[in-house]
Amino acid sequence: MPKFLLNLLCAFIPSKKGRDYIRSLFIKTVEVKEKFPLFVVDSNHLQRKNFTPKNKKILLINHTNFLKNNAGNNVYLFNIVKILKKMGYSIDFLSSEKFIPDDYKDFNKLNKQYKFIDNFYLAPFNEAAIKYPYSMASWVDDDLIDLFQRVISENDYSYIFSNYINFSDLFRFSNVPEDTKIVNIFHDFNTMQMFFVNNDYNEISKYFEYEVKLLQYYDDVLCISYDEKYL
């Protein structure tokens, strides 16, 4: 079971004992020090760009078929894209088959109805050997990063909108042009999800530091709540 689905399932279980039991069925227990390895941000990624939009092209990255418009995260992203299209932006979409089986089987049909996405890029999912040292809680795999590198080399984007912090490894292991602004859509702070799943204050403090460091890969952060803006 994908980790984000397991976290979602555990969020509805009130007792820690029950959550631990469910987690034990799907994942192997490891020590905290293995879950939270030392994370060092590459200083080359921290130079803020002197930015002037060169065109109205956006690459959007997300893990679900938001065109279904059927859940909080999808509804939010659906409406952002709807507004951007009315503003005249051209939007490409990048995702992977690894997250939810068959989630994209009706994507082309829905996109024909809404006409939101100009080009759709979907990475396959397989059990290929890992060749990149991915971060903890990363949703990136070899196929996704290879596709991302190809897409940004073949297209000229003013903006990359990344939904969820878990895609940050895309920017660690690729050369995004200096005249492309990377924006994090910050509507789901994962630190709180980790706490609800594990109910462990020691774990939540380590994850908080980790997640804040990952935000340094972005030029801007888009928030929808005062709590997120404060963070």
Side-chain angles (χ1 to χ4, degrees), residues 6-149:
L6 179 59
N7 290 344
L8 179 63
L9 174 63
C10 290
F12 293 94
I13 300 176
S15 71
K16 184 176 185 302
K17 184 177 180 181
R19 292 194 297 271
D20 289 343
Y21 174 73
I22 294 297
R23 283 167 56 83
S24 69
L25 297 177
F26 294 96
I27 62 175
K28 183 178 180 180
T29 302
V30 296
E31 297 296 326
V32 169
K33 64 180 181 180
E34 294 177 347
K35 291 182 184 179
F36 304 99
L38 178 63
F39 178 73
V40 179
V41 175
D42 183 354
S43 61
N44 292 328
H45 288 273
L46 303 184
Q47 299 176 8
R48 184 172 180 81
K49 302 178 179 68
N50 295 320
F51 183 75
T52 301
K54 52 193 172 181
N55 54 39
K56 302 196 76 171
K57 292 188 64 176
I58 296 172
L59 176 63
L60 174 66
I61 303 168
N62 189 49
H63 68 295
T64 60
N65 181 358
F66 70 95
L67 290 183
K68 291 182 176 180
N69 200 22
N70 60 348
N73 61 324
N74 286 337
V75 171
Y76 174 49
L77 198 56
F78 182 95
N79 283 285
I80 287 179
V81 172
K82 183 178 181 179
I83 292 170
L84 290 171
K85 291 300 291 185
K86 287 183 177 180
M87 295 172 64
Y89 283 93
S90 170
I91 303 175
D92 293 348
F93 182 45
L94 175 74
S95 191
S96 171
E97 292 181 327
K98 68 176 290 186
F99 300 111
I100 304 176
D102 299 322
D103 194 33
Y104 289 101
K105 63 182 181 180
D106 56 351
F107 183 88
N108 290 329
K109 178 181 178 181
L110 292 171
N111 193 42
K112 186 176 181 180
Q113 174 185 350
Y114 297 118
K115 298 180 174 61
F116 281 175
I117 301 302
D118 294 274
N119 297 290
F120 176 42
Y121 303 100
L122 186 64
F125 175 62
N126 57 50
E127 301 297 332
I130 299 297
K131 58 179 178 253
Y132 298 100
Y134 295 119
S135 308
M136 174 202 63
S138 177
W139 289 349
V140 174
D141 61 21
D142 295 349
D143 291 319
L144 182 58
I145 198 169
D146 288 347
L147 177 60
F148 175 71
Q149 290 174 329

